[in-house]
Amino acid sequence: MPLVAPSILAADFSRLGEEVRKVTDAGADYIHVDVMDGFFVPNITIGPSMVKSLRAYSDMPFIAHLMITHPERHVKAFSESGSDIIEVHVEAEHELRETLRLIRDHGKKAGLAVNPPTSVQSIYPFLRDIDLLLIMSVNPGFGGQSFIADVLPKIGLAKDEMEKQGCKVPVEVDGGINAETGQLAALAGADILAAGTYVFKAPDMRKAIEALRACGGSKD
Ligand code: DX5
Ligand code: ZN
């Protein structure tokens, strides 16, 4: 059964604290925070000071998904903001291995994200340096996009390679996740499902989270 990481990108930004509390009470396993800089992706969202303010509203681990150029410049700030896992992109402009080491040196878990057009092989040399792999199932920048099923084989390929290298880390899938696409991702091996729209726009958040957690099991 996959764990569920609601992405607050789809929450009501005018009352983010309450939204984080609500989704925590509804059974979330993580809080997924989408950080965008207007360079690496066209959109701009929130920064470390907002993460710090939100920390008081949930005990769940925070995942800071940094869709930003030069993420190494912000590792310290996101660590101090109370993020537990810091994810950086293989496509971003930075010395990747050094950034991953910096995240771990700050006592945080290092996540590595890979965009749909990028080959999964590009992350193989870094498997020993990470604590989580994020496979993007949309092109990052906006919530509410359609799931790109072509990325699914990447999960199995990455897991085979982890087995070979003897370093297993959980795989999170992010973008366009709902009960149907979550099922596809879970059957392909996803350990964590990140979902914004499906959770935050649901009439009943608890039911939406439960539906995601049931993904990968049999329907009856
Ligand atoms: C995309 C973000 C995702 C995504 C989640 O740039 O990283 O976290 O928007 O939102 P939904 O589930 O609406 O695609
Ligand atoms: Zn994300």
Side-chain angles (χ1 to χ4, degrees), residues 7 9 32-36 65 67 87 134 136 140 172 174-175 194:
S7 156
L9 188 59
H32 182 103
V33 183
D34 286 310
V35 178
M36 307 188 187
H65 175 194
M67 288 161 274
E87 297 173 338
L134 177 63
M136 292 302 300
E172 180 183 11
D174 183 19

Side-chain angles (χ1 to χ4, degrees), residues 61-98:
F62 277 20
I63 300 175
H65 175 194
L66 304 189
M67 288 161 274
I68 63 177
T69 325
H70 285 300
E72 77 282 4
R73 294 178 188 166
H74 304 276
V75 165
K76 185 172 185 281
F78 278 97
S79 298
E80 290 170 354
S81 75
S83 306
D84 300 283
I85 301 170
I86 299 178
E87 297 173 338
V88 296
H89 272 262
V90 67
E91 302 87 0
E93 202 177 307
H94 59 136
E95 276 304 323
L96 179 51
R97 207 178 300 276
E98 277 173 33

Side-chain angles (χ1 to χ4, degrees), residues 17 30 79 114 126 154 156 169 181 190 200 205 209:
Y30 298 92
S79 298
V114 58
F126 304 98
K154 287 182 175 179
V169 300
T181 57
F200 280 98
M205 269 187 196
I209 291 173

